[in-house]
Amino acid sequence: GENVEQHPSTLSVQEGDSAVIKCTYSDSASNYFPWYKQELGKRPQLIIDIRSNVGEKKDQRIAVTLNKTAKHFSLHITETQPEDSAVYFCAASVGKLIFGQGTELSVKP
Amino acid sequence: DVKVTQSSRYLVKRTGEKVFLECVQDMDHENMFWYRQDPGLGLRLIYFSYDVKMKEKGDIPEGYSVSREKKERFSLILESASTNQTSMYLCASSLAEKNTEAFFGQGTRLTVV
């Protein structure tokens, strides 16, 4: 079955810096790659997703890139703000969503 | 606005008890999922269902079962709770079409003592 590896497990940046989180997947049939943000004590919520027919997608300060050949995808957050502090999960799907281990992002003011 | 509601926010049960975790969604979603969340392990899929009375095993089904008698409700059952099942349990739902957003419930923090 699908296996998703996510790195790093923790990430600390200064406010205004960029943050990058990387994921790899194993099943070449996976064709949907969402990213979820989970704030402390809250439920995970979708922040951006990308489908396999697209290489890059942007939404304001966040962007995702996908390399199908290498089977990896990344989340990029620019101009980080303290409210970006949260746990971020990547996932890969070929019907059911399989999640990575999560990255705890801390943005220091 | 999609609502996925889990019956309890916090639950404490004794070893060997039968435990029911309930999840209800109000958006007529066909797909429903149960995950458990543990630090450093992310969200691991326990069971999922694409239709009423249908269920499929996820990556860690051992010690769990599920029931989906109605489209809007998906129950996770711990037949005989053990301390290693202490965890955060998250329910999610999504439309039948592949590659659509999954909406999560608020989670149930289960402690087995």
Side-chain angles (χ1 to χ4, degrees):
Chain A
E2 176 65 278
N3 183 51
V4 178
E5 296 288 331
Q6 181 173 347
H7 299 281
S9 57
T10 61
L11 181 59
S12 182
V13 299
Q14 289 295 133
E15 183 177 359
D17 286 352
S18 295
V20 180
I21 303 170
K22 298 183 178 183
C23 291
T24 61
Y25 62 99
S26 61
D27 190 345
S28 56
S30 289
N31 52 13
Y32 175 60
F33 306 91
W35 287 86
Y36 283 78
K37 176 183 180 182
Q38 186 179 30
E39 297 176 348
L40 191 62
K42 297 190 176 180
R43 69 192 74 193
Q45 292 195 299
L46 180 74
I47 54 171
I48 195 167
D49 56 16
I50 191 167
R51 289 168 175 77
S52 59
N53 58 346
V54 176
E56 184 176 355
K57 183 177 179 180
K58 283 185 178 180
D59 183 3
Q60 299 183 356
R61 295 186 298 107
I62 60 174
V64 291
T65 58
L66 171 65
N67 183 327
K68 282 193 68 180
T69 303
K71 288 193 252 180
H72 64 70
F73 56 114
S74 302
L75 176 71
H76 304 251
I77 307 174
T78 59
E79 300 171 20
T80 54
Q81 301 167 4
E83 51 265 39
D84 293 329
S85 296
V87 178
Y88 291 80
F89 292 99
C90 63
S93 172
V94 60
K96 57 183 180 179
L97 275 178
I98 301 300
F99 286 85
Q101 295 82 358
T103 296
E104 184 174 359
L105 174 64
S106 175
V107 181
K108 300 184 186 304
Chain B
D1 202 22
V2 176
K3 276 192 179 172
V4 181
T5 304
Q6 296 181 226
S7 53
S8 304
R9 192 69 192 266
Y10 299 96
L11 213 50
V12 180
K13 295 293 182 181
R14 295 195 179 278
T15 301
E17 276 194 80
K18 190 169 186 176
V19 182
F20 293 86
L21 302 183
E22 307 286 347
C23 175
V24 177
Q25 49 91 8
D26 66 357
M27 285 302 291
D28 204 33
H29 283 174
E30 291 79 13
N31 302 336
M32 296 191 75
F33 308 86
W34 275 105
Y35 293 89
R36 67 175 278 178
Q37 181 176 11
D38 300 288
L41 298 178
L43 304 172
R44 292 181 292 166
L45 182 62
I46 306 171
Y47 266 98
F48 60 102
S49 170
Y50 290 147
D51 201 353
V52 175
K53 296 194 185 291
M54 174 271 176
K55 60 185 179 183
E56 292 279 349
K57 291 180 180 179
D59 294 330
I60 53 164
E62 296 79 18
Y64 304 94
S65 62
V66 290
S67 173
R68 188 144 182 224
E69 296 296 318
K70 293 185 178 181
K71 188 177 184 180
E72 67 271 18
R73 186 180 296 271
F74 192 35
S75 303
L76 181 68
I77 304 157
L78 286 67
E79 295 290 341
S80 178
S82 63
T83 55
N84 62 12
Q85 293 178 309
T86 292
S87 186
M88 171 68 81
Y89 290 87
L90 287 163
C91 173
S93 72
S94 67
L95 290 169
E97 294 86 41
K98 290 183 180 179
N99 306 336
T100 59
E101 179 178 359
F103 294 86
F104 283 86
Q106 77 278 24
T108 297
R109 170 73 64 186
L110 172 67
T111 302
V112 183
V113 297

